[in-house]
Amino acid sequence: MTATTAQEIDSAIAALRLGEIEWSRTPLRGRRELLEQIHTATAECAREWVETAAAIKGLDADSPLLGEEWVSGPYSLLTGAAALAESLAALEGGGSPVDGYRMREAPGNRTAVDVFPASGFDRLLLNGFSAQVWSKPGVDAATVRARAGLGQRTPERTDGIAVVLGAGNIFSIAPLDVLYQLYADNRVVVLKLNPITDPLLPVFEKIFAPAIARGFVRIVTGGADIGTALVHHPDVESVHMTGSALTHDAIVFGAGADGARRKAARKPLLDKPITSELGGVSPSIVVPGRWSRADLRFQAEHLATQRLHNNGYNCVAAQVAVISGDWPQKQQFLDELRAAMNRAPARTAYYPGSAQRVAAARAEYPEAQKLGAHGERTLVTGLAPIKSEPALHTEYFAPVLGVIEIPGAAAEFLAEAVRVCNDEFEGTLGANIIAHPRTMKSLGADFDTAVATLRYGTVAINAWTGLGYLTARASWGAFPGHSIHDVQSGIGVVHNALLIADPERTVVRGPFRPSPRSVLRGEFTLSPKPPWFVTNRTGATTLRRLTDFARNPRVSALPGIFASALRG
């Protein structure tokens, strides 16, 4: 595959300049129809997309882990395009995208929008799961409604050309970021693929063919030199990137010692706005309680999934579990966690630098345990809850999981765990809380306070924050307030298909137990073991069928999805 040249960059930018004029003249109906065309093309390319992704990641054709590629690939783009199309239809009709969605008060004088479930199908397919988008403090429901729509409230006022620097880990990130620039920010877009994803170029060109034909989108390949040329091109107005804080700083300030000096002097090289979705060290807080043996096993698999999904190559992968040192079941839980990490299927370390990052973690923590069939996974216990602890400020982006112990029973433990996560961890992208329903009930307002106090862009309760990524109408990004000088997990949000202005966070909730145990123990939720669990035996089949359902939602498809899910 030939990399893009400087001449091709100029040609792409020139085409987008003309395309911006066409975009400004495209009414809401035409923009909605474009989304519908992209939806159709995504469905047509779904199998090719997954097969290409499997080849990149070294997954066998019969691996249950292929489910990860179905759900974090074409499924995410299908649901994102469909949800955006519904928002544009609401605006076409003179309404707001949030019309019909319940809004309620959230702690701290915030407004919460119930964004999931959004339909009866959602309630059936992910029964017991929910998601809310919270406003910033002081924003009332009327303001949320009035401002929802972002750039599509004034579609004729376009905002230039944006460069999107695509990610190399989750393959729907780049196309979803393109849609967000087009619709939320009302910009035409040049997407520079991460070299890992270059084999997907033909797929993405087919998916975005209607937008490419009209000059709204261009897709290019190449290395860092191409990315640099794009972001500094005089006709480019803004930049969006996904990656690490180190990559962000190299783009904004330059690389090496010169870049470090510019950052210290607060003199960026980049003279245009940049938004970003970056990583960090994501925590999972395990609140002590009285759990059954089945609860211990299930939640250990849950935590293992939070770390080992995509082999740990996720910006929001849980890197450190925070547990109570006084929990009587602590050792049982850790034993189940080791067993779950051992049971998870072996996989290829496809992401560049993975082996070196694992080796660095083991050199830092020589007492770490090697887990997995080939000792490819690492568990580090006994971490200190202080900022100087390397595992709290180094994003390993690999199958490395640490454990911190904090003293106390549920109430005092949770309050201190939240403080530690806020003050000592690097990054603010996502935090998980695992807690028994009985414990949450006993904590009452203290539990709600803990959720509101966590400074993270997505907070998941008895669910993984990755579900927030998969929920099209949820916002996705760091907790607001970062700047280019201390970027942490990034600036701005993506996804957010209701086009809610300046959301603060997404809060996701799930059932503590899978069905049928949930029903027998009084939770009354019907979801079995989630198909995204790395230990789910039928994940590939279930999530392939769910992707087909996203192509064409229909009652007749439900029995097949349920049957596969129950066998997981």
Side-chain angles (χ1 to χ4, degrees):
M1 186 175 296
T2 304
T4 304
T5 66
Q7 185 176 5
E8 288 169 328
I9 288 175
D10 288 337
S11 176
I13 297 297
L16 289 168
R17 269 287 171 234
L18 293 175
E20 185 185 4
I21 298 171
E22 174 69 11
W23 188 235
S24 71
R25 295 171 178 169
T26 304
L28 289 172
R29 177 178 176 178
R31 293 169 179 231
R32 175 177 53 78
E33 290 172 345
L34 177 64
L35 285 166
E36 292 166 352
Q37 292 166 354
I38 289 170
H39 186 276
T40 298
T42 301
E44 292 171 349
C45 294
R47 183 167 293 278
E48 181 184 358
W49 181 336
V50 171
E51 289 174 351
T52 305
I56 293 170
K57 297 186 178 183
L59 296 175
D60 294 335
D62 60 351
S63 172
L65 296 174
L66 275 182
E68 295 180 0
E69 301 313 311
W70 282 104
V71 76
S72 67
Y75 171 85
S76 294
L77 188 55
L78 285 167
T79 55
L84 271 174
E86 289 181 6
S87 291
L88 264 69
L91 291 166
E92 279 181 75
S96 169
V98 300
D99 287 347
Y101 291 84
R102 180 177 177 180
M103 287 190 270
R104 62 182 85 194
E105 292 183 4
N109 193 28
R110 297 171 170 93
T111 297
V113 184
D114 291 350
V115 300
F116 189 91
S119 68
F121 285 139
D122 288 345
R123 291 180 181 88
L124 288 171
L125 290 168
L126 284 173
N127 189 259
F129 289 88
S130 65
Q132 296 177 328
V133 173
W134 287 14
S135 74
K136 294 176 181 176
V139 179
D140 62 17
T143 302
V144 171
R145 183 187 184 281
R147 298 184 64 198
L150 297 176
Q152 299 312 297
R153 300 193 70 84
T154 54
E156 69 283 357
R157 299 180 190 169
T158 54
D159 198 20
I161 298 172
V163 168
V164 169
L165 300 176
N169 58 331
I170 297 296
F171 296 157
S172 61
I173 292 176
L176 285 170
D177 289 351
V178 168
L179 290 186
Y180 202 69
Q181 290 294 320
L182 269 173
Y183 286 90
D185 295 321
N186 211 19
R187 297 169 178 141
V188 293
V189 187
V190 55
L191 165 64
K192 207 286 283 185
L193 295 179
N194 184 297
I196 294 172
T197 64
D198 281 356
L200 281 164
L201 176 63
V203 173
F204 292 158
E205 286 182 330
K206 292 173 190 173
I207 288 171
F208 283 104
I212 291 170
R214 298 176 67 183
F216 305 154
V217 172
R218 286 291 183 271
I219 307 176
V220 302
T221 62
D225 57 328
I226 298 300
T228 299
L230 281 168
V231 301
H232 291 289
H233 195 285
D235 288 338
V236 165
E237 276 81 12
S238 64
V239 178
H240 178 80
M241 64 157 292
T242 301
S244 69
L246 290 175
T247 302
H248 169 274
D249 287 352
I251 292 168
V252 174
F253 299 102
D258 287 344
R261 282 192 290 271
R262 290 189 196 95
K263 184 178 180 182
R266 302 174 75 86
K267 294 181 177 179
L269 277 177
L270 192 67
D271 61 352
K272 55 197 69 173
I274 180 169
T275 55
S276 50
E277 189 263 78
L278 312 177
V281 178
S282 292
S284 280
I285 300 171
V286 182
V287 183
R290 184 185 293 179
W291 297 8
S292 70
R293 183 175 179 181
D295 295 337
L296 290 164
R297 180 184 175 99
F298 177 77
Q299 292 299 345
E301 291 187 355
H302 191 184
L303 180 54
T305 294
Q306 293 172 10
R307 175 71 266 185
L308 298 178
H309 181 280
N310 199 36
N311 209 36
Y313 311 136
N314 286 331
C315 292
V316 79
Q319 183 166 299
V320 176
V322 185
I323 69 174
S324 171
D326 296 328
W327 185 22
Q329 295 180 295
K330 175 191 71 176
Q331 196 56 53
Q332 289 175 272
F333 180 74
L334 290 176
D335 289 344
E336 290 287 1
L337 178 60
R338 293 183 187 94
M341 292 181 71
N342 277 321
R343 281 197 305 275
R347 61 189 307 160
T348 301
Y350 77 91
Y351 202 89
S354 177
Q356 293 89 331
R357 291 189 296 276
V358 171
R362 290 177 177 174
E364 187 71 49
Y365 300 105
E367 73 284 5
Q369 293 177 273
K370 296 180 181 179
L371 302 173
H374 308 290
E376 69 275 18
R377 295 160 191 156
T378 302
L379 180 67
V380 186
T381 56
L383 299 178
I386 54 176
K387 196 181 293 289
S388 59
E389 183 72 74
L392 271 62
H393 63 78
T394 304
E395 184 187 9
Y396 291 122
F397 214 68
V400 177
L401 178 64
V403 178
I404 284 175
E405 294 184 23
I406 292 174
E412 56 267 37
F413 162 80
L414 181 57
E416 177 62 8
V418 168
R419 186 203 66 78
V420 168
C421 293
N422 280 342
D423 297 344
E424 312 297 343
F425 279 57
E426 186 79 15
T428 65
L429 186 58
N432 310 282
I433 304 175
I434 298 172
H436 194 288
R438 188 168 51 241
T439 304
M440 288 192 286
K441 184 176 180 180
S442 69
L443 288 168
D446 288 344
F447 188 84
D448 295 335
T449 297
V451 173
T453 303
L454 278 166
R455 296 192 297 269
Y456 286 84
T458 298
V459 177
I461 303 156
N462 291 334
W464 177 34
T465 48
L467 187 59
Y469 175 93
L470 295 175
T471 303
R473 296 169 181 84
S475 60
W476 183 253
F479 196 79
H482 304 312
S483 71
I484 60 170
H485 305 289
D486 181 22
V487 74
Q488 294 281 317
S489 290
I491 300 167
V493 300
V494 290
H495 303 188
N496 186 29
L498 295 180
L499 302 175
I500 295 170
D502 298 321
E504 182 188 65
R505 73 180 81 189
T506 286
V507 178
V508 179
R509 295 176 186 264
F512 181 71
R513 306 177 182 93
S515 179
R517 282 198 306 115
S518 57
V519 176
L520 297 174
R521 296 298 183 93
E523 279 192 277
F524 303 112
T525 60
L526 302 179
S527 291
K529 176 192 283 190
W532 54 84
F533 268 36
V534 292
T535 52
N536 192 300
R537 295 169 296 179
T538 62
T541 301
T542 303
L543 294 171
R544 174 178 55 79
R545 291 176 179 176
L546 189 64
T547 302
D548 179 67
F549 180 85
R551 172 188 64 83
N552 177 25
R554 59 209 183 277
V555 172
S556 62
L558 297 178
I561 297 172
F562 293 151
S564 179
L566 289 169
R567 292 194 301 269

